[in-house]
Structure formats: structure tokens, C-alpha cells
Amino acid sequence: MITLIHFETRLTEFASQFSNLAVRYDQTLEHSSELETVINDYSRFVTDADHRHAWNMLRPSELEELEPLIQELRDQSARCVAIMEKYRALKLQDGEVQIADYFKNIEECIDKEFGGFQVTPDSKVLLVGSGSFPMTPLLIARRTGAQVIGIDIDAEAITLGRKVVQTLGSELNIRLELSLLEDLAYTREATHIIFSSTVANKYELLDQLHALTNAQVVVAMRYGNQLKSLFNYPMRETDDRKWRLADNILRPHDVFDIALYQKVCKGGRYEQ
């Protein structure tokens, strides 16, 4: 039987591993295999059906007891995912293209990213938190022909990401920018916006986006609740005068779920 003690023990172990491996990143591949193993183990942990059932059986008081550890793990795992993307980008420069389990899971999610709000060759897609290995821009641009721009606040991630795009998709309509949403003119043109699950302040940014976007925009918010909240920042309530939850795509076997939002216009209307 999986108990609170089991969760606390395993989560403490993961937190210690993430913390140790994060500080050891030195822009080389020396610790990449260790981090990949931990991330893959963690991905399997948060998508395991038995763990999910046991987590949902925890009492509110037990979840409250775990809350500081949960918050630490969200931050530490997000930091380590960013580092693992850097490792993957560095490996690509060395000619290695093997894909870790975590990345395979992410790539499977991308196909269903927008549900019924399909991306077409005429779409303009914006990814917030593109990282060092921009899988989402590469896959969307290659499969749909759409224009895709990714932004990040990590200069090293943008530098590495541009090298990845040049290697894997130089012919595609992709641009990566070190930019904030409000400083990017493309934000007003975007038809589809995706938030990475590891962007901690994504709901604050969504609130700001209402004034920065066009009426037809659709926003895909990657998130994780319950057990998945260990590896993702969870869903939050939005201002219903600004955003309407149009769809909630639950994917039990994937590391995150997807909430789709449509912009509410004047008078409480939204665009079809």
C-alpha cells in the first residue's frame, strides 16, 4: 500500500537529486546521463496509475503537510528540465540525436495541443518558454507549415535553441527571441499561444495577454493538477471577464494536461 510516508520519502529523494544535479551543470555533458535518468524516473513516477490513485486518496491535512516539498519539487524539476534541454542541445552539436523518455512524452503531447482549434499553414504560433531544445516550434512548423516564434528569458537557452533550429529545421519558419511578451510585436498577431508547463508565472502572464492579443487568439496552457502538480505548475482560476476555458484536455499517460482558453471580448462575448 502506498502511504503518505512512501510519498514523502520518494519526494525527498527526488528533491535531493534535483538540487544536487542542478548545481553541477557546467555547460558540459559531464552529468547529463545522471540527470536524464532522474528526470525519466520522475516522469514515470507522476504518470503511474497506482501513484495517481494513492495520491488522490490522501487527506487534505496530509497534502498540506507535503505542500512545502511539492513547491520545492516544482521549482527544482522545472530548473532541471531546462538544464536537460541544454544537455540535449549540446549532444546534438556533438552529433547525438537520441531522445530521452521525457522528451518522447512531450512530443506525443504536442500532436493534440490545440484540440479542435487546429493550427494551419496560415496560423501564427507563439511559444512562451521555448527552452534550449525547441521541440514544439520544430514539430508544429514541420507538420503544419505555420510560422512559429519562441521566446525565453534565458539567453543561453536562446543561443542553444537557435543552433538546434539551424541543425534540424533551417528551412522552417521559426524564430527564437530573448524577449518578454509585452516587448514582442508578434504577440498581437499570434493566433495560437502555448505556455510551457514549467513557466511559473504563466497565469499572471495570461492575465496580461488580454490587453496584448487579438480577439481570435487561443491559448494552450500546459499544466498539472493532483499528482502531476509535482512536475508542473497547476491550473488556476482566471478572470472570467478576460478568458473563457474552452476545453480541458486530460491526458493520464502524459506528464501534463492542457487547458485551452479563448479571449472574452467586450460585453462578455468571445470569438468563435
Side-chain angles (χ1 to χ4, degrees):
M1 180 179 177
I2 301 174
T3 64
L4 174 64
I5 294 175
H6 168 83
F7 277 122
E8 190 167 17
T9 300
R10 293 291 286 126
L11 298 186
T12 300
E13 290 172 353
F14 278 123
S16 176
Q17 290 174 309
F18 284 140
S19 177
N20 290 335
L21 288 166
V23 298
R24 292 162 74 182
Y25 173 67
D26 59 0
Q27 299 179 311
T28 73
L29 293 172
E30 184 174 356
H31 305 292
S32 62
S33 60
E34 296 172 71
L35 182 58
E36 181 177 311
T37 297
V38 176
I39 291 284
N40 287 342
D41 287 346
Y42 198 55
S43 299
R44 289 189 287 269
F45 183 90
V46 301
T47 56
D48 181 270
D50 291 335
H51 289 156
R52 182 169 62 249
H53 176 72
W55 184 269
N56 292 339
M57 296 299 291
L58 291 176
R59 297 189 300 272
S61 60
E62 293 175 319
L63 291 171
E64 184 176 355
E65 183 178 335
L66 288 174
E67 186 59 28
L69 186 53
I70 294 169
Q71 292 184 16
E72 178 186 356
L73 276 164
R74 283 180 198 144
D75 293 339
Q76 291 282 12
S77 61
R79 182 182 178 190
C80 284
V81 165
I83 292 171
M84 192 165 75
E85 288 191 2
K86 293 177 180 181
Y87 283 140
R88 189 182 180 193
L90 292 170
K91 286 181 179 181
L92 182 66
Q93 291 179 27
D94 288 347
E96 183 178 336
V97 293
Q98 182 178 359
I99 302 177
D101 291 347
Y102 169 78
F103 289 117
K104 291 177 182 176
N105 190 288
I106 296 295
E107 290 174 359
E108 290 169 1
C109 295
I110 292 171
D111 281 336
K112 290 84 178 177
E113 190 86 51
F114 283 101
F117 300 93
Q118 293 300 314
V119 177
T120 71
D122 296 325
S123 299
K124 294 185 176 182
V125 182
L126 173 60
L127 174 63
V128 183
S130 52
S132 303
F133 204 100
M135 297 174 293
T136 299
L138 285 164
L139 286 170
I140 289 178
R142 187 173 301 283
R143 292 175 185 176
T144 69
Q147 179 182 1
V148 187
I149 291 182
I151 61 172
D152 208 292
I153 58 173
D154 182 339
E156 183 185 9
I158 293 295
T159 298
L160 289 170
R162 286 172 176 167
K163 292 178 181 178
V164 170
V165 170
Q166 184 61 33
T167 301
L168 298 180
S170 60
E171 77 285 4
L172 301 175
N173 193 0
I174 298 173
R175 194 169 87 238
L176 302 179
E177 298 290 344
L178 183 68
S179 177
L180 299 174
L181 281 168
E182 61 266 30
D183 297 331
L184 190 72
Y186 184 82
T187 301
R188 296 191 179 275
E189 304 172 19
T191 59
H192 298 72
I193 298 176
I194 304 170
F195 278 92
S196 168
S197 67
T198 55
V199 175
N201 63 335
K202 56 194 173 188
Y203 276 94
E204 287 80 1
L205 294 175
L206 178 65
D207 189 70
Q208 296 173 22
L209 270 178
H210 190 267
L212 299 173
T213 51
N214 64 74
Q216 289 76 36
V217 69
V218 178
V219 178
M221 187 75 77
R222 296 172 177 175
Y223 77 94
N225 287 345
Q226 287 87 44
L227 183 64
K228 290 185 183 181
S229 70
L230 297 173
F231 207 1
N232 304 273
Y233 293 93
M235 180 188 284
R236 285 169 43 184
E237 292 292 325
T238 61
D239 185 340
D240 60 11
R241 297 168 298 178
K242 293 182 177 181
W243 297 100
R244 166 187 175 269
L245 181 63
D247 198 1
N248 190 16
I249 304 171
L250 301 177
R251 302 189 53 76
H253 303 295
D254 296 332
V255 291
F256 59 74
D257 299 314
I258 303 163
L260 295 178
Y261 295 97
Q262 284 182 286
K263 186 173 180 177
V264 177
C265 301
K266 291 182 179 179
R269 296 176 293 104
Y270 62 93
E271 298 294 326
Q272 296 285 358

